[in-house]
Amino acid sequence: MPCTVIVGAFWGDEGKGKIISYLALKDNIDFCVRTGSVNAAHTVWYEGKKYALHMVPAAFINPKTRLLIAAGANVDVKTFFAEVEQTQVQGRIAIDQSASIIEEKHAAADKASAVNKGIGTTGRGVGPALEERVRRTAKLAKDIPELKNYLTDEVQEVNDGLDIGKKVLLEGTQGFMLSLFLGGGYPYVTGRDTGASAIASEAGVGPTRVDDVLIVYKSFITRVGAGPLPGEITKEEAQKRGWFEVAAGTGRDRRSASFDFDLAKKTAKINGATQGAMTKLDCIFPSCRSVKKYSDLPKEAKEFIKEVEDKTGVPITLIGTGPEAMDIVDRR
Ligand code: IMP
Ligand code: MG
């Protein structure tokens, strides 16, 4: 605080949406800036309702939080309006005028491309839209008449906010291992850098203005689409262990593996993590469900958290114990 980057440690779907929604309420966040695009879905459970958000920042559950879409983001206009309607955030959400636009033709190109199919793209058109942006032929938010009442200068808003000590969350999407530059699994990666520095860059926040990098781990690892997943177990085994998942965005089966301490250490270092969150602790230790006090966690769960801290060198300050935004052990 006041400026925190939220970055996913693995291949996405670590539960960033849940952590962001908790922080929005608990810390009374002033600005939440979403980066990336519609290939990523952030799940928020609040007051018994489930939201899978592809555009609206996960902090929306705090009615006082200003919601922004970053200058570096890619906007799907239809999805944006559908989610604004669903979350009723008219009046406190805006898109940077220079964010680029995904069109129908981009999703069609994604689906038609044999290479993209091989990678297991989400088919939302993000890669082809980014290609056009790099060619300097993309449409920007300011070129879309329907967005007229939703335009802002996000970069100025956020930097002016930081000048007067406002609290800002920079919402990363996907996971570090899907980074185009740094994930190491090229071509089985997404079309952009998903690391902490890139999240700040997309939002127009300089590195010296970031106070904290909160890396989000899940108690096991999942991946959708193709590409290597060290230590992968079968779907049957994942079901037996109680952690089989289906993708929030595409409905595809998520592949899974056990928590990887070496990978956790590596991604903490490259992202410059100052704090860590561990989500879904209740999936590997069911007796943790909905626990809110650290002292109430079972011994083996505490040992696991301690091992993660010892091996990564990062304090685990937030621990997710259930799907609802407030199912958290907050050790800060
Ligand atoms: P694309 O970014 O849609 O082109 O997909 C490229 C790869 O990244 C595929 O393996 C996708 O499954 C994966 N991917 C993209 N976005 C997400 C996400 O938000 N969570 C998990 N995997 C993702
Ligand atoms: Mg997701």
Side-chain angles (χ1 to χ4, degrees):
M1 287 296 153
C3 183
T4 302
V5 172
I6 310 287
V7 62
F10 301 128
W11 283 270
D13 309 310
E14 297 91 359
K16 293 177 290 298
K18 180 211 162 72
I19 296 298
I20 292 162
S21 58
Y22 171 79
L23 290 173
L25 283 180
K26 180 71 188 176
D27 293 4
N28 229 335
I29 294 299
D30 298 297
F31 293 93
C32 182
V33 187
R34 178 152 174 160
T35 58
S37 192
V38 280
N39 42 7
H42 286 178
T43 302
V44 174
W45 278 94
Y46 187 56
E47 295 179 333
K49 261 202 187 145
K50 183 185 180 183
Y51 304 83
L53 302 168
H54 300 81
M55 286 265 93
V56 167
F60 83 93
I61 63 173
N62 183 337
K64 295 205 194 103
T65 304
R66 171 93 168 136
L67 308 171
L68 298 171
I69 295 181
N74 243 289
V75 175
D76 180 308
V77 178
K78 241 205 230 156
T79 305
F80 172 77
F81 280 113
E83 291 183 1
V84 166
E85 182 62 31
Q86 186 197 9
T87 53
Q88 288 294 304
V89 292
Q90 299 88 343
R92 62 184 179 102
I93 189 166
I95 303 173
D96 190 274
Q97 59 213 358
S98 304
S100 60
I101 299 294
I102 299 188
E103 299 175 66
E104 296 282 340
K105 65 177 180 187
H106 297 133
D110 231 351
K111 288 179 192 130
S113 154
V115 171
N116 292 358
K117 255 190 237 160
I119 293 168
T121 168
T122 60
R124 297 298 298 255
V126 179
L130 288 169
E131 268 178 62
E132 249 206 287
R133 190 172 191 170
V134 173
R135 277 202 302 266
R136 272 77 35 100
T137 52
K139 284 187 182 147
L140 301 184
K142 64 181 177 207
D143 302 322
I144 308 296
E146 301 130 88
L147 292 180
K148 197 168 133 257
N149 296 329
Y150 287 93
L151 296 181
T152 190
D153 183 336
E154 170 270 320
V155 177
Q156 177 153 15
E157 270 200 59
V158 166
N159 281 288
D160 287 352
L162 288 173
D163 285 345
I164 53 170
K166 296 282 184 193
K167 292 181 203 158
V168 175
L169 282 185
L170 303 180
E171 177 171 350
T173 50
Q174 311 163 302
F176 179 73
M177 296 301 289
L178 287 171
S179 168
L180 176 65
F181 301 156
L182 310 169
Y186 188 94
Y188 300 103
V189 291
T190 192
R192 50 188 272 280
D193 182 8
T194 51
S197 316
I199 295 164
S201 167
E202 274 190 31
V205 173
T208 56
R209 308 208 86 183
V210 172
D211 300 283
D212 265 308
V213 174
L214 178 70
I215 192 164
V216 182
Y217 298 115
K218 181 161 68 178
S219 64
F220 51 97
I221 295 179
T222 54
R223 170 165 206 177
V224 284
L229 178 57
E232 182 167 5
I233 60 170
T234 61
K235 176 177 174 177
E236 290 68 34
E237 180 60 25
Q239 282 166 328
K240 218 166 33 183
R241 296 188 192 182
W243 73 43
F244 173 71
E245 295 178 344
V246 168
T250 54
R252 294 183 291 180
D253 285 0
R254 286 185 186 155
R255 301 157 57 199
S256 64
S258 295
F259 191 86
D260 183 331
F261 293 94
D262 292 333
L263 188 62
K265 179 180 179 182
K266 179 178 156 187
T267 60
K269 188 191 284 194
I270 301 173
N271 285 287
T274 57
Q275 289 184 54
M278 177 66 67
T279 64
K280 296 209 169 188
L281 195 63
D282 56 305
C283 290
I284 58 168
F285 304 112
S287 61
C288 293
R289 189 69 185 236
S290 298
V291 167
K292 300 209 166 56
K293 276 187 11 215
Y294 187 74
S295 56
D296 291 342
L297 292 175
K299 186 164 159 277
E300 62 274 23
K302 286 184 194 154
E303 281 167 4
F304 173 67
I305 296 293
K306 171 116 191 351
E307 190 176 355
V308 174
E309 291 184 321
D310 288 346
K311 291 195 172 150
T312 60
V314 175
I316 302 298
T317 51
L318 299 169
I319 300 169
T321 55
E324 275 276 337
M326 303 311 280
D327 287 335
I328 290 255
V329 174
D330 189 342
R331 303 170 75 201
R332 295 174 301 161

